[in-house]
Amino acid sequence: MKIQLVADSAANVTSQNEMGVVSAALKIVTDKTEYVDNDALDVARMVAELKAYKGKSTTACPSVQEWKEAFGDADMVFGVAITSGLSGSYNAGCIAAREYMEENPGRKAYIVDSRSTGPEMVLLLEKLHELAGAGLSFEEICTAIEEYHKHTRLYYALSSLDNLAKNGRVSPIVAKAVGLLGIRVVGTTTPEGTLHPEHKCRGEKKAMEQMLACMVASGYKGGKVRLTHSCAPEVAEKFFQLLKANWPNADITIGEDRGLCCFYAEEGSFLSAFEHE
Ligand code: X90
């Protein structure tokens, strides 16, 4: 019984991952260049080029065909997509899953709508990996992952909402208040998987304290945390230390945002996905 895990590239998972996750790439598109968010993408270079570029930039989700290519020839496929509240990726993944099952009787495919991005997608993938190794049926895994999802959440500290606003993913009014130097927005997701900015914080230290308070208020009690940063390892490291000071035994890791998350989260931002009660 071959089980394949897949995700779109908003999960920041490259082909070196230990779970065997295959990634379907989103794209970052300007008038000059198309950046494909795969292993080969030089994220730092993309960020530098985009900083110098003054024209329009946008993004595109993987097509139905690209999702299907990621499925390969597995008996069971489980996928995780960036929030359907902001992207067409989940929809494309679902069509791919339906066609995959129609074209290959006996095979099964299921896509989870993360209603989130990046590190929360990683938590879901890690749980799927665990469930896949436990000898459960397809239906049991589908039920178990949706149940687990009720106990995960994402908080973000963003240094700019410019690209989100320019691409219609948050209102320009909300975005403007964050454009000021040193202001970070700390927020989470709505049940529909859109952004819910909660606090404007002056400076990085305040943003971290706020995020910690938000996590505790959401029921974080020392479970797994998956952190990612957009070209700012020192920021993620500081937040990691803050968490470790409070929960020395917690399973916490730091990863890098790849192309899609870096484009929208922007330089200096960090994301924290965690398990809660
Ligand atoms: O289909 C596409 O073109 C992709 C559109 C994605 C838009 C949003 C990406 C957000 C990336 C920003 C901070 C966390 C937001 C939480 C989302 C619910 C990261």
Side-chain angles (χ1 to χ4, degrees), residues 26 59-61 82-83 86-88 115-117 154 156 158 164 169 189 193-195 260 264-265 271:
L26 287 111
T59 57
C61 69
I82 185 173
T83 174
L86 299 174
S87 172
R115 298 189 299 280
S116 182
T117 188
L154 178 77
Y156 45 80
L158 304 179
L164 283 162
R169 263 77 184 191
T189 58
T194 55
L195 274 86
L260 191 278
Y264 282 109
L271 310 177

Side-chain angles (χ1 to χ4, degrees), residues 34 39 103:
E34 183 182 88
D39 278 18
E103 288 159 13

Side-chain angles (χ1 to χ4, degrees), residues 128-139:
L128 282 169
H129 184 63
E130 188 185 312
L131 293 166
L136 301 174
S137 72
F138 178 78
E139 288 74 19

